[in-house]
């Protein structure tokens, strides 16, 4: 029976599922905390691929120059054709030369556009590959408290959906942003060159563009941030429903699970529709303003042509450049929704990256071989939630090689003691020492290499049986693995499997029985050869016959090792050197099985409650 989460969360949850946190319908943030900071961090990641970024910039500049050359060449082609009182005149030599130049410009533009696309794709993939690696590295070193209080599906959503949105935005938007700046400047200069007056007319729509885009972005941003957050909640629910599939079926909760999924999906749909509506409005609005600007330039140009103030070729060039001037704004507006989605995703990614990692301030040069196994818990106080202490003045001495059993009602603090010994959590006050050395002074890697844990919920990976056992010590030989399996009484069933030690397990080893999975976990601990062994409810979910096999394996495993045993089945701890009874975060009594029964105190009551009626 698991500890109560409010007082005693599990020692560690290595499964992909089981994440906890706010309810699926929890209120979402409406806008990024710091848009500028998020963009700055994202820019630094993009800047790591400086050569690709430089290459992309060069291609964008070349393409922009070639595109800016197009209207000028068209103007030259028009100027090669004149009409006067004698009729139409065409300078064919000039026209042919201009046409050849125009063809060359368009061919080169297509070639460089292709190279730009390839470079943008590489830049995108290199950037998100680095970001994803950094994020996974960060997740690997997150404090247990973080994973205990955040939905695992939401964490995975940040690794997948959010990073993928960043990838799409980089590959499509970076080049557009570069091109927009260059094209805007270039088009403005060319319009000034041909007609300052028409340029002034073209600028009339700029304030309107800025006003509309600013107002629309206020509505858009909150919906795109909410969309990403709810998507994380949706993934969290799916992940929990899949990993807890048997439990859902056992309690006939499929309709409830479906209803909850439908509720979150409906919320996601509503927010998604609003996000897409506001995101879709931006493009048409910018196009309409751009067309209005084009109409104003065309009208003013027509008037100047009629009054002789400007030639047809210059008017045509200004019209083309005015289109080029508004085109980048329209492109950015059309991509604005995707950019906002990427920024919202980036903020969620950086939120994890900026979480403080596990503190590891141990500087003591002690090695695992130096550790003997004397443990001392001194006046320990600890609470998961402030103001709700779980351990209160806990004191305990454990000598090397001793078997100490921790028993007590659910929520009494048994598993918390293990959490603190392994530094999954740090104590509020007091001290834990191993061989007289404060565990806070030990590097965590050294501390945890000295400890092996066999949990109630066995953690196996989708790999071979051999690899799962070798997880205890990666440099172990095949002979070492087989010896560990034999010592754990696991070799018999392993050798009966078609592929023996090479048998590939399904996810979490679900194709094995609970007892077989537990024996593999014990074999892994045997191979690790720890100085301190922790058995957390290692036999609570198996039948009596299987328990006998596991007990036999555990007896071998505990030989000459300091062992802490957490058990609800009191039959499994009769032979412990000392049984410690916890009640309300304090030690109620301690002694051997016979001594505690004779006292007729807390342990006696636990024993009687557990075995009441067996005699009859």
């Amino acid at each position: 029976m698991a500890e109560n989460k409010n007082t005693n969360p599990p020692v560690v949850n290595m499964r992909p599922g089981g994440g906890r946190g706010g309810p699926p319908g929890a209120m979402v943030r409406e806008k990024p905390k710091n848009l500028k900071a998020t963009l700055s961090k994202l820019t630094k990641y993009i800047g790591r691929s400086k050569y690709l970024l430089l290459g992309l910039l060069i291609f964008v500049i070349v393409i922009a120059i070639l595109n800016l050359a197009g209207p000028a060449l068209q103007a030259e082609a028009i100027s090669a054709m004149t009409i006067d009182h004698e009729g139409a005149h065409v300078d064919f030599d000039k026209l042919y030369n201009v046409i050849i130049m125009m063809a060359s410009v368009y061919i080169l533009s297509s070639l460089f556009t292709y190279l730009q696309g390839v470079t943008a794709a590489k830049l995108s993939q290199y950037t998100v590959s680095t970001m994803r690696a950094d994020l996974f590295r960060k997740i690997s070193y997150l404090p247990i408290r973080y994973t205990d209080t955040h939905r695992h599906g939401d964490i995975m959503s940040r690794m997948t959906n959010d990073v993928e949105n960043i990838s799409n935005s980089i590959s499509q938007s970076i080049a557009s942003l570069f091109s927009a700046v260059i094209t805007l400047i270039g088009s403005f200069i060319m319009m000034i060159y041909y007609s300052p007056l028409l340029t002034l007319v073209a600028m009339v729509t700029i304030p309107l563009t800025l006003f509309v885009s600013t107002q629309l972005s206020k509505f858009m941003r909150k919906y795109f941030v909410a969309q990403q957050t709810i998507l994380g909640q949706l993934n969290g629910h799916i992940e929990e429903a899949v990993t807890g599939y048997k439990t859902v079926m056992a309690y006939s909760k499929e309709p409830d699970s479906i209803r909850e999924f439908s509720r979150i999906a409906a919320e996601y749909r509503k927010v998604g529709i609003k996000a897409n509506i506001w995101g879709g409005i931006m493009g048409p609005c910018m196009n309409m303003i751009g067309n209005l600007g084009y109409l104003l330039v065309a009208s003013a140009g027509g008037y100047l042509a009629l009054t002789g103030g400007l030639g047809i070729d210059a008017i045509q060039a200004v019209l083309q450049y005015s289109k080029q001037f508004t085109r980048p704004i329209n492109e950015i507006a059309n991509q604005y929704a995707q950019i906002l989605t990427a920024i919202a995703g980036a903020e969620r990614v950086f939120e994890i990256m900026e979480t403080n990692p596990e503190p590891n301030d141990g500087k003591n040069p002690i090695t695992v071989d130096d550790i003997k196994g004397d443990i001392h818990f001194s006046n320990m106080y600890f609470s998961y939630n402030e103001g709700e202490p779980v351990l209160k003045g806990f004191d305990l001495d454990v000598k090397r090689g001793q078997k100490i059993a921790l028993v007590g009602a659910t929520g009494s603090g048994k598993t918390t003691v293990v959490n603190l010994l392994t530094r999954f959590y740090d104590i509020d006050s007091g001290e834990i020492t191993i061989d007289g050395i404060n565990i806070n002074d030990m590097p965590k890697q050294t501390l945890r290499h000295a400890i092996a844990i066999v949990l109630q919920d066995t953690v196996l990976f989708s790999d071979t049986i051999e690899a799962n056992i070798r997880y205890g010590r990666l440099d172990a030989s095949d002979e070492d693995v087989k010896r560990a399996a034999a010592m754990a009484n696991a070799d018999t069933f392993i050798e009966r499997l078609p592929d023996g030690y090479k048998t590939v397990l399904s996810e979490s080893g679900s194709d094995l029985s609970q007892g077989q999975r537990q024996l593999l976990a014990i074999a892994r601990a045997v191979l690790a050869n720890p100085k301190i062994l922790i058995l957390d409810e290692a036999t609570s979910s198996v039948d009596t016959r299987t328990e006998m096999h596991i007990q036999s394996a555990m007896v071998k495993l505990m030989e000459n090792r300091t062992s802490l045993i957490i058990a609800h089945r009191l039959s499994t701890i009769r032979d412990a050197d000392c049984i410690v009874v916890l009640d309300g975060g304090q030690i109620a009594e301690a002694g051997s099985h016979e001594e505690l029964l004779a006292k007729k105190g807390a342990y006696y009551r636990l024993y009687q409650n557990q075995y009441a009626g067996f005699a009859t």
Side-chain angles (χ1 to χ4, degrees), residues 104-117:
S104 301
V105 163
Y106 294 141
I107 291 171
L108 286 173
S109 178
S110 299
L111 174 63
F112 280 104
T113 300
Y114 168 75
L115 295 175
Q116 173 190 295

Side-chain angles (χ1 to χ4, degrees), residues 435-451:
D435 300 337
I437 302 171
N438 192 313
I439 63 171
N440 291 337
D441 296 330
M442 292 182 179
K444 281 191 174 179
Q445 190 173 25
T446 302
L447 173 67
R448 290 172 182 171
H449 277 175
I451 300 173

Side-chain angles (χ1 to χ4, degrees), residues 197-372:
L197 181 59
L198 288 184
T199 302
L200 186 62
V201 173
M203 295 295 105
V204 169
T205 57
I206 296 300
L208 181 60
T209 299
L210 295 175
F211 174 77
V212 172
S213 61
T214 301
Q215 294 303 312
L216 286 177
S217 66
K218 290 180 181 178
F219 292 96
M220 293 171 62
R221 190 180 303 165
K222 64 179 181 181
Y223 291 119
F224 280 98
V225 173
Q227 189 179 30
Q228 290 305 107
T229 305
I230 297 173
L231 180 59
Q233 295 170 358
L234 189 66
N235 287 334
H237 179 76
I238 295 170
E239 184 264 343
E240 288 179 349
V242 171
T243 55
Y245 187 62
K246 290 181 181 178
T247 302
V248 174
M249 293 186 69
Y251 285 91
S252 299
K253 292 296 183 181
E254 297 95 335
D256 293 338
S257 180
I258 293 169
R259 276 194 297 272
E260 179 63 11
F261 173 84
S262 299
R263 186 190 67 76
I264 304 172
E267 188 177 355
Y268 180 69
R269 183 190 68 238
K270 291 175 184 176
V271 173
I273 290 173
K274 291 177 181 177
N276 287 320
I277 287 174
W278 286 106
I281 286 174
M282 180 72 85
C285 286
M286 293 301 103
N287 287 331
M288 183 182 71
I289 295 172
N291 290 331
L292 175 61
Y294 187 84
L295 178 61
L296 292 174
V297 172
S299 301
Y303 175 78
L304 292 176
L306 290 175
T307 58
L310 199 62
I312 297 297
D313 54 342
I315 295 173
Q316 186 273 341
V318 174
L319 282 171
Q320 291 296 317
Y321 284 122
S322 69
K323 268 291 186 185
Q324 289 203 13
F325 187 79
T326 56
R327 180 178 56 81
I329 299 175
N330 293 340
E331 286 182 355
I332 294 173
N334 288 325
Q335 293 181 7
Y336 192 68
Q338 183 176 343
I339 293 171
L340 276 184
T341 301
I343 292 173
E347 186 179 60
R348 283 161 47 80
V349 168
F350 292 132
E351 188 176 25
I352 290 183
M353 288 189 180
E354 290 167 358
T355 300
N356 291 329
E358 274 196 311
N360 188 16
D361 46 3
K363 303 297 182 184
N364 194 298
I366 189 172
T367 65
V368 175
D369 292 335
D370 296 329
I371 294 176
K372 306 303 179 185

Side-chain angles (χ1 to χ4, degrees), residues 122-152:
K122 288 184 177 180
L123 176 63
S124 167
Q125 291 306 312
Y126 277 117
T127 300
V128 297
S129 175
T130 303
M131 181 178 291
R132 191 177 278 120
D134 287 350
L135 178 59
F136 188 80
R137 189 178 300 109
K138 183 69 179 186
I139 290 173
S140 299
Y141 288 98
L142 283 175
I144 296 295
R145 188 184 295 273
Y146 186 93
T147 57
D148 275 348
T149 54
H150 289 76
R151 294 174 70 97
H152 295 180

